[in-house]
Amino acid sequence: MTPSAITLCFLVFAIIMFAWEKLPLAVTAMVVSVGLALTGVLPTRDAFMGFVDTNVILFVAMFVIGGALFETGMANKIGGIVSRFASSERKLMVVLMVITGVMSGVLSNTGTAAILIPVILGISAKSDFARSRLLMPMAFASTLGGNLSLIGSPNNLVVQGVLSQTGEKFGFFEYGEIGLPVLVFGILYFAFIGYRLLPSNLNLHVNEEEYQAYHNHHNHIPKWKQWLSLAVLIGTLMAMVFEDFIGVKLYLSACVGALILVIMRVITEKQAYQAIDSQVVFLFAGTLALANALQTTGAGAQIAHTILGWLGAHPNSYLLLFTILVLSCLLTNFMSNTATAALLAPIGLSIANSLGADPRAVLMAVVVGSSCAFATPIGTPANTMILSVGHYRFADYAKAGVPLIIVTIAAAMILLPILFPFFPS
Protein backbone atom coordinates (compact mmCIF):
# COMPACT_ATOMS: atom_id res chain seq x y z
CA MET A 1 0.00 0.00 0.00
CA THR A 2 1.13 3.54 -0.70
CA PRO A 3 1.69 5.95 2.20
CA SER A 4 -1.41 7.93 1.17
CA ALA A 5 -3.56 4.77 1.16
CA ILE A 6 -2.27 3.79 4.61
CA THR A 7 -3.02 7.29 5.86
CA LEU A 8 -6.58 7.10 4.53
CA CYS A 9 -7.02 3.75 6.32
CA PHE A 10 -5.89 5.31 9.58
CA LEU A 11 -8.25 8.23 8.96
CA VAL A 12 -11.21 5.85 8.56
CA PHE A 13 -10.09 3.92 11.66
CA ALA A 14 -9.86 7.14 13.68
CA ILE A 15 -13.31 8.34 12.57
CA ILE A 16 -14.90 4.99 13.50
CA MET A 17 -13.13 4.67 16.86
CA PHE A 18 -13.70 8.30 17.83
CA ALA A 19 -17.42 7.92 17.12
CA TRP A 20 -17.68 4.45 18.74
CA GLU A 21 -15.58 5.36 21.81
CA LYS A 22 -14.85 1.76 22.76
CA LEU A 23 -11.32 2.98 23.39
CA PRO A 24 -10.51 6.25 25.18
CA LEU A 25 -10.08 9.02 22.62
CA ALA A 26 -6.48 9.61 23.65
CA VAL A 27 -5.69 5.90 23.17
CA THR A 28 -7.18 5.94 19.66
CA ALA A 29 -5.08 8.99 18.84
CA MET A 30 -1.92 7.28 20.05
CA VAL A 31 -2.74 4.09 18.10
CA VAL A 32 -2.84 6.25 14.96
CA SER A 33 0.39 8.03 15.87
CA VAL A 34 2.27 4.80 16.64
CA GLY A 35 0.77 3.09 13.57
CA LEU A 36 1.94 5.85 11.24
CA ALA A 37 5.45 5.46 12.66
CA LEU A 38 5.49 1.64 12.47
CA THR A 39 4.28 1.63 8.86
CA GLY A 40 6.89 4.17 7.87
CA VAL A 41 4.34 6.73 6.72
CA LEU A 42 5.95 9.24 9.05
CA PRO A 43 9.45 9.26 10.54
CA THR A 44 9.27 8.42 14.23
CA ARG A 45 10.37 11.94 15.10
CA ASP A 46 7.53 13.46 13.08
CA ALA A 47 4.94 10.99 14.42
CA PHE A 48 5.54 12.22 17.97
CA MET A 49 6.39 15.84 17.17
CA GLY A 50 2.96 16.84 18.46
CA PHE A 51 4.15 16.47 22.05
CA VAL A 52 6.41 19.50 21.61
CA ASP A 53 3.98 21.44 19.43
CA THR A 54 3.58 25.04 20.58
CA ASN A 55 -0.15 24.52 21.09
CA VAL A 56 0.55 21.71 23.55
CA ILE A 57 2.98 23.96 25.42
CA LEU A 58 0.28 26.65 25.51
CA PHE A 59 -2.28 24.10 26.79
CA VAL A 60 -0.05 22.95 29.63
CA ALA A 61 0.89 26.47 30.74
CA MET A 62 -2.72 27.70 30.64
CA PHE A 63 -3.89 24.63 32.58
CA VAL A 64 -1.47 25.67 35.34
CA ILE A 65 -2.69 29.29 35.28
CA GLY A 66 -6.31 28.09 35.34
CA GLY A 67 -5.47 25.69 38.16
CA ALA A 68 -4.04 28.56 40.21
CA LEU A 69 -7.28 30.53 39.81
CA PHE A 70 -9.17 27.58 41.25
CA GLU A 71 -6.78 26.72 44.03
CA THR A 72 -6.81 30.29 45.29
CA GLY A 73 -10.59 30.71 44.97
CA MET A 74 -10.31 33.57 42.47
CA ALA A 75 -12.16 31.65 39.75
CA ASN A 76 -15.06 31.23 42.17
CA LYS A 77 -15.12 34.98 42.86
CA ILE A 78 -15.02 35.87 39.17
CA GLY A 79 -17.76 33.34 38.47
CA GLY A 80 -19.94 34.81 41.19
CA ILE A 81 -19.59 38.32 39.76
CA VAL A 82 -20.29 37.27 36.16
CA SER A 83 -23.24 35.03 37.06
CA ARG A 84 -25.02 37.97 38.74
CA PHE A 85 -25.52 39.58 35.33
CA ALA A 86 -27.14 36.50 33.76
CA SER A 87 -30.66 35.69 34.85
CA SER A 88 -30.70 32.50 32.76
CA GLU A 89 -28.33 29.95 31.31
CA ARG A 90 -29.16 30.99 27.76
CA LYS A 91 -28.45 34.66 28.41
CA LEU A 92 -25.12 33.79 29.99
CA MET A 93 -24.27 31.55 27.03
CA VAL A 94 -25.00 34.37 24.56
CA VAL A 95 -22.93 36.88 26.58
CA LEU A 96 -20.00 34.47 26.70
CA MET A 97 -20.21 33.81 22.96
CA VAL A 98 -20.21 37.54 22.18
CA ILE A 99 -17.21 38.15 24.45
CA THR A 100 -15.35 35.15 23.02
CA GLY A 101 -16.11 36.06 19.41
CA VAL A 102 -14.87 39.63 19.81
CA MET A 103 -11.73 38.53 21.65
CA SER A 104 -10.96 35.94 18.98
CA GLY A 105 -11.06 38.67 16.35
CA VAL A 106 -7.81 40.11 17.71
CA LEU A 107 -6.41 37.20 19.73
CA SER A 108 -5.48 33.62 19.01
CA ASN A 109 -8.57 31.37 19.07
CA THR A 110 -6.69 28.93 21.27
CA GLY A 111 -5.46 31.66 23.59
CA THR A 112 -8.96 33.09 23.95
CA ALA A 113 -10.40 29.70 24.88
CA ALA A 114 -7.54 28.99 27.28
CA ILE A 115 -8.15 32.26 29.12
CA LEU A 116 -11.94 31.84 29.37
CA ILE A 117 -12.10 28.15 30.36
CA PRO A 118 -11.17 28.73 34.04
CA VAL A 119 -13.60 31.67 34.20
CA ILE A 120 -16.45 29.51 32.87
CA LEU A 121 -15.58 26.70 35.28
CA GLY A 122 -15.73 29.25 38.08
CA ILE A 123 -19.17 30.36 36.92
CA SER A 124 -20.46 26.79 36.82
CA ALA A 125 -19.02 26.06 40.26
CA LYS A 126 -20.66 29.16 41.73
CA SER A 127 -24.03 28.94 39.98
CA ASP A 128 -26.57 26.32 38.96
CA PHE A 129 -25.38 26.38 35.32
CA ALA A 130 -23.83 23.23 33.89
CA ARG A 131 -20.35 23.70 32.46
CA SER A 132 -21.25 21.39 29.55
CA ARG A 133 -23.79 23.95 28.32
CA LEU A 134 -21.33 26.86 28.43
CA LEU A 135 -17.95 25.52 27.32
CA MET A 136 -18.91 24.21 23.87
CA PRO A 137 -20.64 27.42 22.71
CA MET A 138 -17.59 29.35 23.92
CA ALA A 139 -15.18 27.09 21.99
CA PHE A 140 -17.26 27.33 18.81
CA ALA A 141 -17.50 31.12 19.19
CA SER A 142 -13.72 31.35 19.43
CA THR A 143 -13.52 29.69 16.01
CA LEU A 144 -16.27 31.82 14.47
CA GLY A 145 -14.71 35.00 15.84
CA GLY A 146 -11.41 34.16 14.21
CA ASN A 147 -12.84 35.34 10.89
CA LEU A 148 -13.38 38.92 12.03
CA SER A 149 -9.90 40.11 11.04
CA LEU A 150 -6.68 39.16 9.28
CA ILE A 151 -4.99 38.17 12.55
CA GLY A 152 -8.01 36.41 14.06
CA SER A 153 -6.97 32.99 12.80
CA PRO A 154 -3.75 31.54 11.32
CA ASN A 155 -5.61 30.20 8.27
CA ASN A 156 -6.50 33.79 7.34
CA LEU A 157 -2.80 34.59 7.09
CA VAL A 158 -2.17 31.40 5.09
CA VAL A 159 -4.85 32.34 2.56
CA GLN A 160 -3.57 35.91 2.42
CA GLY A 161 -0.13 34.58 1.52
CA VAL A 162 -1.54 32.49 -1.33
CA LEU A 163 -3.67 35.38 -2.61
CA SER A 164 -0.65 37.70 -2.60
CA GLN A 165 0.81 35.57 -5.44
CA THR A 166 -1.82 37.17 -7.69
CA GLY A 167 -0.90 40.70 -6.59
CA GLU A 168 -4.12 41.07 -4.60
CA LYS A 169 -4.89 40.93 -0.89
CA PHE A 170 -7.72 41.04 1.63
CA GLY A 171 -8.10 44.11 3.84
CA PHE A 172 -7.47 43.75 7.59
CA PHE A 173 -11.19 43.64 8.47
CA GLU A 174 -12.43 42.42 5.08
CA TYR A 175 -12.77 38.91 6.49
CA GLY A 176 -15.33 40.37 8.87
CA GLU A 177 -17.71 41.12 6.00
CA ILE A 178 -18.47 37.40 6.04
CA GLY A 179 -17.17 36.55 9.51
CA LEU A 180 -19.35 38.97 11.49
CA PRO A 181 -22.70 37.86 10.00
CA VAL A 182 -21.69 34.21 10.38
CA LEU A 183 -20.75 34.84 14.04
CA VAL A 184 -24.17 36.46 14.59
CA PHE A 185 -25.91 33.51 12.92
CA GLY A 186 -23.91 31.14 15.11
CA ILE A 187 -24.94 32.96 18.30
CA LEU A 188 -28.58 33.03 17.21
CA TYR A 189 -28.39 29.31 16.40
CA PHE A 190 -27.26 28.49 19.94
CA ALA A 191 -29.73 30.92 21.50
CA PHE A 192 -32.75 29.35 19.82
CA ILE A 193 -31.77 25.83 18.70
CA GLY A 194 -28.27 24.77 19.69
CA TYR A 195 -28.75 25.06 23.44
CA ARG A 196 -31.31 22.25 23.20
CA LEU A 197 -28.67 19.97 21.66
CA LEU A 198 -26.05 20.49 24.36
CA PRO A 199 -25.63 17.73 26.97
CA SER A 200 -27.36 18.59 30.24
CA ASN A 201 -26.63 15.49 32.29
CA LEU A 202 -23.40 16.94 33.67
CA ASN A 203 -24.86 19.23 36.26
CA LEU A 204 -24.58 20.13 39.90
CA HIS A 205 -23.71 16.75 41.35
CA VAL A 206 -20.53 16.68 39.26
CA ASN A 207 -19.56 20.20 40.26
CA GLU A 208 -20.25 19.55 43.92
CA GLU A 209 -18.11 16.42 43.96
CA GLU A 210 -15.22 18.08 42.17
CA TYR A 211 -15.22 21.34 44.10
CA GLN A 212 -16.30 20.27 47.59
CA ALA A 213 -12.77 20.31 48.97
CA TYR A 214 -12.06 23.48 47.02
CA HIS A 215 -15.03 25.31 48.59
CA ASN A 216 -13.96 24.18 52.07
CA HIS A 217 -10.44 25.52 51.95
CA HIS A 218 -10.30 28.49 49.56
CA ASN A 219 -11.37 31.01 52.22
CA HIS A 220 -8.10 30.31 54.04
CA ILE A 221 -5.96 31.21 51.04
CA PRO A 222 -4.02 34.49 51.51
CA LYS A 223 -5.53 37.38 49.57
CA TRP A 224 -2.24 38.17 47.85
CA LYS A 225 -2.25 34.73 46.23
CA GLN A 226 -5.77 35.25 44.91
CA TRP A 227 -4.93 38.64 43.42
CA LEU A 228 -1.60 37.47 42.01
CA SER A 229 -3.32 34.61 40.20
CA LEU A 230 -5.72 37.13 38.63
CA ALA A 231 -2.88 39.54 37.81
CA VAL A 232 -0.98 36.76 36.03
CA LEU A 233 -4.06 35.85 34.00
CA ILE A 234 -4.59 39.48 32.97
CA GLY A 235 -0.89 39.91 32.26
CA THR A 236 -0.91 36.82 30.06
CA LEU A 237 -3.93 38.15 28.21
CA MET A 238 -2.25 41.51 27.60
CA ALA A 239 0.93 39.79 26.41
CA MET A 240 -1.16 37.84 23.91
CA VAL A 241 -2.89 41.01 22.69
CA PHE A 242 0.46 42.73 22.11
CA GLU A 243 2.28 39.62 20.88
CA ASP A 244 3.69 41.32 17.79
CA PHE A 245 4.70 44.47 19.68
CA ILE A 246 6.63 42.72 22.46
CA GLY A 247 7.94 39.96 20.21
CA VAL A 248 7.01 37.13 22.59
CA LYS A 249 4.99 34.18 21.32
CA LEU A 250 1.70 33.20 22.98
CA TYR A 251 3.01 29.96 24.45
CA LEU A 252 6.07 31.68 25.93
CA SER A 253 3.90 34.33 27.59
CA ALA A 254 1.76 31.55 29.08
CA CYS A 255 4.88 29.71 30.28
CA VAL A 256 6.18 32.86 32.00
CA GLY A 257 2.84 33.25 33.78
CA ALA A 258 2.77 29.62 34.90
CA LEU A 259 6.36 29.79 36.18
CA ILE A 260 5.65 32.95 38.17
CA LEU A 261 2.73 31.23 39.92
CA VAL A 262 4.80 28.16 40.83
CA ILE A 263 7.90 30.13 41.87
CA MET A 264 5.80 32.46 44.07
CA ARG A 265 4.10 29.42 45.66
CA VAL A 266 0.65 30.56 44.55
CA ILE A 267 0.24 26.99 43.34
CA THR A 268 2.43 24.06 44.43
CA GLU A 269 4.34 21.88 42.00
CA LYS A 270 1.99 18.97 42.78
CA GLN A 271 -1.09 21.12 42.18
CA ALA A 272 0.40 22.33 38.89
CA TYR A 273 0.87 18.74 37.70
CA GLN A 274 -2.67 17.85 38.75
CA ALA A 275 -4.07 20.83 36.82
CA ILE A 276 -2.58 19.59 33.53
CA ASP A 277 -5.12 17.56 31.56
CA SER A 278 -3.08 14.68 30.14
CA GLN A 279 -5.95 13.42 27.96
CA VAL A 280 -5.95 16.68 26.03
CA VAL A 281 -2.19 16.49 25.53
CA PHE A 282 -2.23 12.90 24.23
CA LEU A 283 -5.31 13.42 22.07
CA PHE A 284 -3.99 16.57 20.44
CA ALA A 285 -0.45 15.27 19.96
CA GLY A 286 -1.69 11.98 18.52
CA THR A 287 -4.13 13.48 16.03
CA LEU A 288 -1.54 16.03 14.94
CA ALA A 289 0.40 13.10 13.47
CA LEU A 290 -2.65 12.13 11.39
CA ALA A 291 -3.05 15.70 10.17
CA ASN A 292 0.64 15.77 9.27
CA ALA A 293 0.33 12.50 7.35
CA LEU A 294 -2.73 13.72 5.42
CA GLN A 295 -0.71 16.71 4.31
CA THR A 296 2.72 15.18 3.62
CA THR A 297 1.56 11.99 1.86
CA GLY A 298 -0.83 13.86 -0.39
CA ALA A 299 -3.85 11.96 0.96
CA GLY A 300 -5.64 15.20 1.78
CA ALA A 301 -4.94 16.63 -1.67
CA GLN A 302 -6.08 13.34 -3.20
CA ILE A 303 -9.45 13.68 -1.43
CA ALA A 304 -9.76 17.28 -2.57
CA HIS A 305 -8.88 16.66 -6.22
CA THR A 306 -11.17 13.62 -6.41
CA ILE A 307 -14.19 15.52 -5.11
CA LEU A 308 -13.51 18.60 -7.23
CA GLY A 309 -12.96 16.37 -10.27
CA TRP A 310 -16.56 15.20 -10.05
CA LEU A 311 -17.72 18.71 -10.96
CA GLY A 312 -16.43 18.57 -14.52
CA ALA A 313 -14.48 21.14 -16.53
CA HIS A 314 -17.04 23.96 -16.33
CA PRO A 315 -18.97 23.65 -13.06
CA ASN A 316 -21.84 25.88 -12.03
CA SER A 317 -20.53 28.66 -9.75
CA TYR A 318 -23.00 27.86 -6.94
CA LEU A 319 -22.19 24.16 -7.13
CA LEU A 320 -18.47 24.97 -7.05
CA LEU A 321 -18.96 27.24 -4.04
CA PHE A 322 -20.98 24.60 -2.21
CA THR A 323 -18.39 21.92 -2.99
CA ILE A 324 -15.49 24.02 -1.72
CA LEU A 325 -17.37 24.79 1.49
CA VAL A 326 -18.33 21.15 2.13
CA LEU A 327 -14.85 19.86 1.26
CA SER A 328 -13.22 22.40 3.57
CA CYS A 329 -15.63 21.50 6.36
CA LEU A 330 -14.91 17.80 5.91
CA LEU A 331 -11.14 18.17 6.05
CA THR A 332 -10.96 20.78 8.80
CA ASN A 333 -12.67 18.50 11.31
CA PHE A 334 -9.77 16.05 11.09
CA MET A 335 -6.93 18.39 10.14
CA SER A 336 -6.14 21.74 11.69
CA ASN A 337 -7.88 24.66 10.03
CA THR A 338 -4.45 26.04 9.17
CA ALA A 339 -3.43 22.80 7.46
CA THR A 340 -6.77 22.67 5.63
CA ALA A 341 -6.35 26.23 4.38
CA ALA A 342 -2.74 25.53 3.39
CA LEU A 343 -3.90 22.47 1.42
CA LEU A 344 -6.97 23.94 -0.28
CA ALA A 345 -5.85 27.53 -0.93
CA PRO A 346 -3.39 26.62 -3.74
CA ILE A 347 -5.98 24.22 -5.21
CA GLY A 348 -8.60 26.96 -5.04
CA LEU A 349 -6.25 29.42 -6.73
CA SER A 350 -5.59 27.02 -9.60
CA ILE A 351 -9.36 26.45 -9.98
CA ALA A 352 -9.94 30.21 -10.11
CA ASN A 353 -7.24 30.65 -12.74
CA SER A 354 -8.53 27.81 -14.93
CA LEU A 355 -12.15 29.02 -14.80
CA GLY A 356 -11.45 32.73 -14.93
CA ALA A 357 -13.08 33.17 -11.52
CA ASP A 358 -12.16 35.83 -8.96
CA PRO A 359 -9.44 34.26 -6.76
CA ARG A 360 -10.58 36.41 -3.83
CA ALA A 361 -14.02 34.79 -3.95
CA VAL A 362 -12.69 31.23 -4.15
CA LEU A 363 -10.18 31.77 -1.34
CA MET A 364 -12.75 33.45 0.90
CA ALA A 365 -14.87 30.32 0.52
CA VAL A 366 -11.83 28.30 1.68
CA VAL A 367 -11.48 30.62 4.70
CA VAL A 368 -15.12 30.13 5.74
CA GLY A 369 -15.14 26.37 5.11
CA SER A 370 -11.86 25.70 6.91
CA SER A 371 -13.30 27.42 10.00
CA CYS A 372 -16.23 24.97 10.30
CA ALA A 373 -14.43 22.68 12.74
CA PHE A 374 -17.43 22.02 14.96
CA ALA A 375 -18.19 18.31 14.51
CA THR A 376 -15.25 16.71 16.36
CA PRO A 377 -13.18 17.34 19.50
CA ILE A 378 -10.02 17.37 17.37
CA GLY A 379 -11.20 20.01 14.91
CA THR A 380 -9.52 22.87 16.78
CA PRO A 381 -7.30 23.12 19.88
CA ALA A 382 -10.19 24.88 21.68
CA ASN A 383 -12.48 21.89 21.02
CA THR A 384 -9.85 19.57 22.44
CA MET A 385 -9.22 21.68 25.54
CA ILE A 386 -12.85 21.54 26.70
CA LEU A 387 -13.27 17.79 26.13
CA SER A 388 -12.30 16.59 29.59
CA VAL A 389 -13.35 19.57 31.68
CA GLY A 390 -16.77 19.59 30.00
CA HIS A 391 -17.13 15.81 30.32
CA TYR A 392 -18.09 15.62 26.64
CA ARG A 393 -18.33 12.58 24.41
CA PHE A 394 -17.33 12.56 20.75
CA ALA A 395 -20.98 12.42 19.70
CA ASP A 396 -21.78 15.61 21.68
CA TYR A 397 -19.69 17.64 19.26
CA ALA A 398 -21.44 16.21 16.20
CA LYS A 399 -24.88 16.67 17.74
CA ALA A 400 -24.42 20.39 18.35
CA GLY A 401 -21.75 21.05 15.72
CA VAL A 402 -23.18 19.55 12.53
CA PRO A 403 -26.28 21.81 12.57
CA LEU A 404 -23.94 24.78 13.15
CA ILE A 405 -21.94 23.72 10.09
CA ILE A 406 -25.18 23.63 8.09
CA VAL A 407 -26.09 27.11 9.36
CA THR A 408 -22.63 28.42 8.46
CA ILE A 409 -22.71 26.91 4.96
CA ALA A 410 -26.22 28.27 4.36
CA ALA A 411 -25.14 31.76 5.48
CA ALA A 412 -22.02 31.58 3.31
CA MET A 413 -24.04 30.43 0.28
CA ILE A 414 -26.14 33.59 0.63
CA LEU A 415 -23.41 36.08 1.55
CA LEU A 416 -20.46 35.00 -0.62
CA PRO A 417 -22.20 35.40 -4.03
CA ILE A 418 -23.28 38.91 -2.96
CA LEU A 419 -20.07 40.14 -1.33
CA PHE A 420 -17.48 37.99 -3.16
CA PRO A 421 -19.03 36.73 -6.43
CA PHE A 422 -17.03 34.10 -8.33
CA PHE A 423 -17.65 35.85 -11.64
CA PRO A 424 -18.10 39.59 -10.94
CA SER A 425 -19.60 41.56 -13.79
Side-chain angles (χ1 to χ4, degrees):
M1 295 178 69
T2 63
S4 62
I6 295 173
T7 301
L8 291 174
C9 289
F10 276 114
L11 174 62
V12 172
F13 166 79
I15 293 172
I16 294 172
M17 295 307 295
F18 282 149
W20 196 16
E21 290 197 55
K22 284 297 183 182
L23 292 176
L25 299 183
V27 173
T28 297
M30 291 311 301
V31 168
V32 172
S33 184
V34 171
L36 290 170
L38 288 176
T39 55
V41 173
L42 290 177
T44 304
R45 177 185 177 87
D46 292 348
F48 298 99
M49 189 63 72
F51 285 99
V52 292
D53 183 81
T54 55
N55 278 315
V56 171
I57 297 171
L58 176 63
F59 291 168
V60 169
M62 290 307 300
F63 280 140
V64 173
I65 293 175
L69 255 70
F70 273 104
E71 292 298 333
T72 62
M74 183 52 72
N76 187 267
K77 288 186 175 181
I78 296 172
I81 294 172
V82 174
S83 59
R84 290 178 194 168
F85 298 95
S87 56
S88 70
E89 189 176 68
R90 268 204 291 178
K91 288 183 180 178
L92 179 59
M93 180 186 67
V94 169
V95 169
L96 288 171
M97 289 189 73
V98 171
I99 293 172
T100 305
V102 172
M103 287 179 62
S104 291
V106 293
L107 283 176
S108 154
N109 303 352
T110 308
T112 299
I115 289 167
L116 290 177
I117 284 173
V119 175
I120 292 176
L121 294 181
I123 292 172
S124 66
K126 186 72 175 179
S127 67
D128 293 340
F129 305 138
R131 64 176 75 174
S132 60
R133 299 178 67 82
L134 299 175
L135 286 167
M136 189 174 290
M138 180 277 296
F140 289 175
S142 72
T143 302
L144 291 169
N147 285 342
L148 295 182
S149 73
L150 174 64
I151 63 172
S153 178
N155 55 319
N156 296 357
L157 294 168
V158 169
V159 170
Q160 181 83 313
V162 173
L163 180 62
S164 66
Q165 298 173 13
T166 68
E168 299 187 55
K169 66 177 183 178
F170 290 117
F172 187 84
F173 288 111
E174 197 168 3
Y175 296 89
E177 293 181 18
I178 299 292
L180 181 58
V182 169
L183 173 62
V184 172
F185 282 126
I187 294 173
L188 291 175
Y189 156 75
F190 268 107
F192 294 101
I193 300 173
Y195 81 97
R196 302 176 187 273
L197 305 176
L198 294 168
S200 57
N201 58 329
L202 312 172
N203 218 318
L204 287 174
H205 66 281
V206 176
N207 292 337
E208 288 170 0
E209 290 172 3
E210 293 188 357
Y211 293 109
Q212 184 178 10
Y214 160 71
H215 286 317
N216 289 338
H217 86 283
H218 78 265
N219 287 329
H220 304 290
I221 300 293
K223 295 292 184 182
W224 69 268
K225 288 189 176 184
Q226 295 183 342
W227 288 109
L228 183 56
S229 67
L230 178 61
V232 167
L233 178 66
I234 294 173
T236 303
L237 169 62
M238 297 306 297
M240 290 178 176
V241 171
F242 297 104
E243 176 188 10
D244 293 335
F245 180 77
I246 65 177
V248 179
K249 298 295 184 183
L250 301 181
Y251 62 94
L252 287 178
S253 297
C255 286
V256 170
L259 287 171
I260 289 173
L261 293 170
V262 175
I263 291 172
M264 296 298 295
R265 306 284 180 166
V266 174
I267 186 172
T268 66
E269 181 184 4
K270 182 178 180 180
Q271 289 170 333
Y273 287 139
Q274 291 173 339
I276 297 170
D277 192 333
S278 58
Q279 183 190 34
V280 170
V281 174
F282 279 93
L283 177 62
F284 186 82
T287 54
L288 208 61
L290 178 60
N292 187 15
L294 283 168
Q295 191 170 8
T296 58
T297 64
Q302 184 179 339
I303 295 172
H305 284 296
T306 299
I307 294 176
L308 291 171
W310 294 340
L311 299 178
H314 301 285
N316 175 275
S317 60
Y318 286 96
L319 181 60
L320 177 60
L321 170 60
F322 180 75
T323 303
I324 291 174
L325 289 170
V326 172
L327 176 59
S328 302
C329 291
L330 174 66
L331 291 177
T332 198
N333 278 285
F334 295 96
M335 299 171 62
S336 74
N337 52 7
T338 307
T340 301
L343 169 66
L344 293 181
I347 297 174
L349 185 60
S350 64
I351 290 173
N353 291 334
S354 63
L355 298 177
D358 184 357
R360 287 161 48 86
V362 177
L363 293 181
M364 186 57 78
V366 171
V367 168
V368 175
S370 62
S371 300
C372 292
F374 309 125
T376 69
I378 60 175
T380 67
N383 289 7
T384 310
M385 290 178 73
I386 64 169
L387 176 67
S388 295
V389 291
H391 302 285
Y392 294 115
R393 296 174 58 85
F394 188 94
D396 293 330
Y397 289 83
K399 186 177 180 181
V402 170
L404 179 57
I405 291 175
I406 295 172
V407 169
T408 303
I409 291 177
M413 288 296 295
I414 296 171
L415 295 170
L416 281 169
I418 298 172
L419 299 172
F420 296 91
F422 274 27
F423 300 101
S425 56

